[in-house]
Amino acid sequence: MKIVKVPSRERVGIVNVSSPPEVELEIDVRPRKGELVIWVTNPNTFKVETSNEIELYEYVGFWQRIDPGIVFLDRRIVLIPGETMEQKLPLELPPGRYKVVKFAYVNGAKVRIEKEFTV
């Protein structure tokens, strides 16, 4: 077992090292004129906590993180099973290969979830 410190409010959780927490978020990304629309759905049978923070990467032979110039307030969002949240980012991306990264918080662990898309 491994003790994992969760980044919010000094909470601590215990995670079995041999089996990381199994959590899934379905992410759908659609670029529109002047904005990037992201839908995050919880397909699990339990509540999943996420935040409004998004990391954005562009593939230029390797994944390079893009600074969208947007400040995300640290706000946790609880998605019940089947619930979907929508986020809009005021971004105009040039054609290319990208990915967004969201984080889910389950059983005291932070789990990274990625979705690739093209513009």
Side-chain angles (χ1 to χ4, degrees):
M1 286 217 236
K2 179 178 181 183
I3 296 178
V4 179
K5 183 177 176 187
V6 177
S8 93
R9 301 197 182 32
E10 304 299 319
R11 293 183 299 169
V12 173
I14 297 176
V15 178
N16 188 339
V17 173
S18 63
S19 60
E22 291 185 20
V23 63
E24 190 175 330
L25 291 177
E26 292 176 357
I27 301 173
D28 187 22
V29 182
R30 296 207 183 121
R32 292 185 183 160
K33 186 172 176 113
E35 68 182 3
L36 191 64
V37 183
I38 301 165
W39 290 275
V40 180
T41 303
N42 177 8
N44 302 287
T45 57
F46 50 88
K47 293 178 186 178
V48 174
E49 196 173 320
T50 187
S51 71
N52 57 351
E53 181 183 2
I54 294 172
E55 291 181 1
L56 183 61
Y57 294 82
E58 180 179 15
Y59 189 76
V60 289
F62 59 93
W63 288 109
Q64 178 178 350
R65 187 169 178 180
I66 299 172
D67 180 6
I70 299 171
V71 175
F72 295 99
L73 300 175
D74 186 21
R75 189 183 102 203
R76 293 292 175 92
I77 301 154
V78 176
L79 295 175
I80 61 173
E83 186 175 19
T84 299
M85 67 176 246
E86 177 184 88
Q87 286 185 269
K88 293 181 181 180
L89 303 179
L91 293 174
E92 187 75 45
L93 297 173
R97 185 173 160 199
Y98 298 90
K99 74 176 171 182
V100 294
V101 175
K102 292 287 291 179
F103 295 97
Y105 302 90
V106 171
N107 296 332
K110 182 177 179 180
V111 180
R112 178 184 173 109
I113 300 168
E114 304 176 354
K115 172 70 176 189
E116 288 188 33
F117 65 98
T118 57
V119 174

